[in-house]
Amino acid sequence: MLVSFLIFFALPVGGAALYLFTMAKDQFSSSVGFTVRTAEASSAAADLLGGLSSFSGSSSSDTDILYEFIQSQQLVSAIHEDLDLHKIYTRHHDEDPYFSLKPGGTIEDLTAYWGQMVKIFYDSGTGLIEIRVNAFDPDEAFQVATAIFDKSSEMINELSAIAREDATRYAREELDTALEKLKNARQAILEYRAETQIVDPQADLQGQMGILNNLQQQLAAALIELDLLRETTRRNDPRILQAENRIKVIEDRIVDERAKFGAGSDSAGEDYVSIIGEFERLNVDLEFAQSAYITSLATYDGSIADAQRQSRYLAAYLKPSIAERALYPERSTILLLVAVFAFLFWTIASLVYYSIRDRA
């Protein structure tokens, strides 16, 4: 019993005590605590009297993502590039191989060791995250804790940017489509104006009507003049023939001018019915495109305002600080646990041994 007690209890406890109090290096800790908050800015004029923004509780999904991110290899690799974690945690490996990182390890080894030196305490109910960072130097513990907070803040900002992009992507696509249709409608009108050489068909039509009215007046005057000649002169008077020819020319011109208003014109571009109809169609397309663009622009502005109205940010309720004395490793606690488990193992082993011996 004495020999087994020395082997299974005294020797492990003595070895653990020797290592803890002579070889284990002091570890300094720096803690940081934060949570993800969402600020909802109010755009109503009435709300300006009561406050510019209201603050909602933390987003559980964002906090869960952040909790996993702090334990990820991505974060360890990013901080390692900035601070050289191998240099920080392998410095005392020859003197303290158990609590130090083995030199020359891979990023997977560093990530596994990260879980030993960086402890995360997460309350899913309140969304609060507290991180305790241990290092062999208080300044290095402070630097690692600060780096964790900075990288976490950058990740939350990226999540906000992605959410804002998702919220505005569809509205921006609709706006781009409406803008393209508006450009095409305007280009179609410009091309048709160049083809017909008519800038304003209404003004051109009014000018054409003026010509027709003038011809009507000239025809009326010529008819009156012909009647006067027939009443005051002989039938073979040459002026009568000239008046009749003048009337015929005016009537032919009136017929030609009237033909421009119908669909029977032989020359392209002189059919005012077709020209005005095409202009009306193009104007309707342009007005519809303008209305669609204005609506899409308002929707896009509204989506941007809604996306900016909800902004995620990382709120620190416990900022990193530089430790003044080492709290870790907890030598007394570790030694007590070693003693308890060693004593339990020795007791169970002794009971099993005597039980088997009594039955033999």
Side-chain angles (χ1 to χ4, degrees):
M1 288 293 293
L2 180 60
V3 172
S4 64
F5 180 80
L6 292 175
I7 294 175
F8 293 110
F9 179 79
L11 187 60
V13 173
L18 180 64
Y19 185 91
L20 288 171
F21 289 97
T22 60
M23 298 178 63
K25 296 298 180 181
D26 291 338
Q27 297 179 15
F28 300 85
S29 67
S30 180
S31 298
V32 58
F34 47 80
T35 184
V36 181
R37 306 291 290 180
T38 303
E40 297 181 353
S42 177
S43 60
D47 292 341
L48 294 177
L49 299 177
L52 293 178
S53 62
S54 59
F55 297 93
S56 69
S58 62
S59 173
S60 59
S61 59
D62 292 339
T63 311
D64 293 337
I65 293 173
L66 188 60
Y67 175 74
E68 297 296 332
F69 173 73
I70 296 172
Q71 306 175 76
S72 67
Q73 180 177 315
Q74 177 183 352
L75 176 64
V76 176
S77 179
I79 296 180
H80 177 55
E81 292 179 359
D82 297 337
L83 299 180
D84 192 0
L85 295 178
H86 276 132
K87 180 180 178 182
I88 293 176
Y89 290 118
T90 61
R91 183 181 297 118
H92 303 290
H93 183 266
D94 294 337
E95 302 155 359
D96 183 8
Y98 181 79
F99 292 105
S100 298
L101 176 65
K102 183 180 180 180
T106 62
I107 187 62
E108 288 78 14
D109 298 331
L110 182 58
T111 303
Y113 183 77
W114 176 269
Q116 300 177 16
M117 304 301 286
V118 177
K119 300 298 181 181
I120 308 173
F121 307 95
Y122 173 41
D123 186 351
S124 59
T126 60
L128 300 179
I129 296 179
E130 183 175 343
I131 302 173
R132 189 191 70 210
V133 180
N134 289 355
F136 301 107
D137 183 87
D139 292 330
E140 292 175 346
F142 172 78
Q143 292 174 5
V144 174
T146 303
I148 292 176
F149 179 79
D150 293 340
K151 297 298 182 181
S152 299
S153 181
E154 291 177 4
M155 195 271 291
I156 290 299
N157 292 336
E158 290 179 1
L159 290 179
S160 298
I162 293 173
R164 190 179 301 112
E165 179 67 19
D166 292 339
T168 58
R169 181 186 297 114
Y170 179 76
R172 186 171 63 249
E173 291 176 355
E174 290 294 322
L175 179 62
D176 294 339
T177 302
L179 180 60
E180 188 65 24
K181 290 182 178 180
L182 180 60
K183 290 180 179 179
N184 293 336
R186 289 178 175 176
Q187 184 64 28
I189 289 183
L190 291 177
E191 291 177 355
Y192 195 70
R193 284 174 176 172
E195 179 184 350
T196 59
Q197 297 182 352
I198 297 177
V199 176
D200 188 355
Q202 295 294 336
D204 194 85
L205 179 61
Q206 291 179 359
Q208 196 66 32
M209 290 297 298
I211 294 175
L212 187 59
N213 291 333
N214 187 23
L215 290 175
Q216 293 282 5
Q217 294 176 0
Q218 293 183 19
L219 178 60
L223 289 174
I224 293 173
E225 182 180 358
L226 178 60
D227 292 339
L228 291 175
L229 288 175
R230 286 175 177 174
E231 291 179 358
T232 58
T233 61
R234 295 172 298 176
R235 290 185 177 181
N236 56 356
D237 192 320
R239 289 180 298 175
I240 295 177
L241 182 59
Q242 292 178 357
E244 291 177 348
N245 292 334
R246 176 181 172 82
I247 291 172
K248 185 177 183 306
V249 170
I250 294 175
E251 289 177 345
D252 292 341
R253 175 50 53 189
I254 290 175
V255 171
D256 292 338
E257 293 298 329
R258 286 180 183 272
K260 294 180 181 181
F261 295 94
S265 176
D266 295 334
S267 58
E270 295 185 357
D271 185 355
Y272 273 91
V273 174
S274 300
I275 292 175
I276 293 177
E278 184 64 17
F279 265 106
E280 290 293 333
R281 186 187 68 80
L282 294 175
N283 282 328
V284 169
D285 293 342
L286 178 60
E287 291 176 0
F288 179 79
Q290 288 175 341
S291 300
Y293 174 74
I294 293 174
T295 303
S296 300
L297 182 60
T299 303
Y300 178 68
D301 292 339
S303 64
I304 291 180
D306 291 338
Q308 293 178 346
R309 198 167 291 136
Q310 293 185 353
S311 177
R312 298 178 180 88
Y313 67 96
L314 206 61
Y317 65 88
L318 180 62
K319 295 184 178 180
S321 59
I322 300 178
E324 295 183 357
R325 67 185 181 93
L327 299 177
Y328 303 93
E330 298 176 308
R331 294 177 173 87
S332 300
T333 303
I334 296 175
L335 185 60
L336 178 61
L337 290 175
V338 171
V340 169
F341 282 103
F343 182 78
L344 290 175
F345 179 78
W346 172 75
T347 302
I348 295 173
S350 299
L351 293 175
V352 171
Y353 169 74
Y354 281 105
S355 177
I356 295 174
R357 192 187 67 171
D358 291 342
R359 289 187 180 184

